Amino acid sequence: MKREPPQPPSDGGEHPAVRQQDEVSSAAGDAPPKSPLWVFGYGSLVWRPDFEFTSRKVGYIRGYSRRFWQGDTFHRGSEKMPGRVVTLLEDYDGCTWGVAYELRGDQVAASLKYLNMREAVLGGYDTKLVKFHPQDKEAGEPVLALVYIATSQNPSYLGPASEEDIAAQIIVSSGRSGHNIEYLLRLADFMRYCCPQVEDEHLFSIEEALISILPCLYHGEESLVEE
């Protein structure tokens, strides 16, 4: 039996992200990064961090919902055919699951240098700090974690579309890191196997739409070959 993901407590209607502003505001800043540092991933970082870390924890952040609203012209798409990857949308009732990585010592500077290129320069993402809640309550208290978010102000932002349209765009897109289909299916697999109690309607609806389209494309190609 599936249960709903944890919801933000009712405390006067203030957005969870707003409540954190005094201590987190915008992330990185000019100050040298402190150790340990936690980095929260909710897209490809959940299965392919590609940087050294000390530990990892599955968990969630509140006040945001994951959406396939960011365009990608490098990792999962091209200038002619941008792919669709996830970003976070501020949402009072939202709850996004992913993985937080703990960085210590020399890992901090090296990982941030890599992530800045991968997510900010090539991906169009900005940084914020959010409160991360571990899935395993015995894994410790919530911690502040750095997260990369693409806002509507960045030039690659695509915005909302129907699940069917998003799936159709994903099917025809690929980039330096692989096909956009792989990105969607790996993220869906992560949620299914690591967070089986959570129903990510947006993600699973796009996966369902993609699976329903693929046989049509396959049979269409077969017809062309026969002709």
Side-chain angles (χ1 to χ4, degrees):
M1 178 179 176
K2 292 186 176 180
R3 57 184 173 84
E4 291 299 313
Q7 297 299 323
S10 177
D11 54 0
E14 190 176 27
H15 192 287
V18 174
R19 292 199 300 272
Q20 299 168 6
Q21 288 307 306
D22 289 342
E23 54 182 337
V24 301
S25 59
S26 183
D30 297 325
K34 295 181 180 180
S35 175
L37 175 70
W38 289 86
V39 175
F40 177 69
Y42 57 92
S44 60
L45 287 181
V46 303
W47 74 84
R48 189 175 65 85
D50 282 351
F51 54 82
E52 291 187 7
F53 56 90
T54 299
S55 66
R56 70 191 292 276
K57 297 179 181 180
V58 174
Y60 61 90
I61 63 173
R62 291 170 170 155
Y64 293 92
S65 290
R66 174 170 39 213
R67 293 289 183 268
F68 274 82
W69 289 3
Q70 172 69 359
D72 188 337
T73 59
F74 185 85
H75 297 292
R76 300 289 174 172
S78 64
E79 291 290 344
K80 290 184 177 180
M81 302 185 78
R84 283 260 184 180
V85 292
V86 292
T87 185
L88 294 180
L89 175 71
E90 287 193 5
D91 177 3
Y92 180 84
D93 294 320
C95 184
T96 297
W97 287 75
V99 175
Y101 297 93
E102 180 188 16
L103 312 178
R104 289 184 175 272
D106 293 341
Q107 294 174 345
V108 175
S111 298
L112 287 182
K113 181 179 180 181
Y114 167 74
L115 286 169
N116 184 59
M117 177 58 68
R118 170 174 165 174
E119 304 294 337
V121 176
L122 297 176
Y125 289 71
D126 294 326
T127 51
K128 288 186 178 182
L129 284 169
V130 293
K131 186 175 289 186
F132 170 78
H133 302 260
Q135 181 183 48
D136 183 359
K137 299 306 179 185
E138 297 180 358
E141 296 295 318
V143 296
L144 287 180
L146 187 72
V147 65
Y148 289 81
I149 300 176
T151 68
S152 58
Q153 279 71 49
N154 84 78
S156 296
Y157 188 80
L158 297 177
S162 70
E163 283 80 3
E164 292 76 17
D165 286 345
I166 292 175
Q169 186 170 352
I170 287 173
I171 284 175
V172 298
S173 301
S174 63
R176 304 285 183 89
S177 297
H179 204 287
N180 209 175
I181 293 176
E182 178 198 22
Y183 179 98
L184 169 65
L185 297 182
R186 281 187 177 271
L187 185 54
D189 283 347
F190 163 77
M191 288 298 299
R192 193 169 283 116
Y193 298 121
C194 295
C195 316
Q197 77 280 14
V198 181
E199 182 61 37
D200 191 324
E201 184 178 351
H202 177 75
L203 172 63
F204 292 144
S205 294
I206 295 171
E207 180 192 35
E208 184 179 349
L210 180 139
I211 292 172
S212 69
I213 294 171
L214 281 176
C216 299
L217 291 178
Y218 177 73
H219 292 307
E221 289 177 358
E222 269 191 341
S223 300
L224 290 175
V225 171
E226 291 173 358
E227 291 174 1

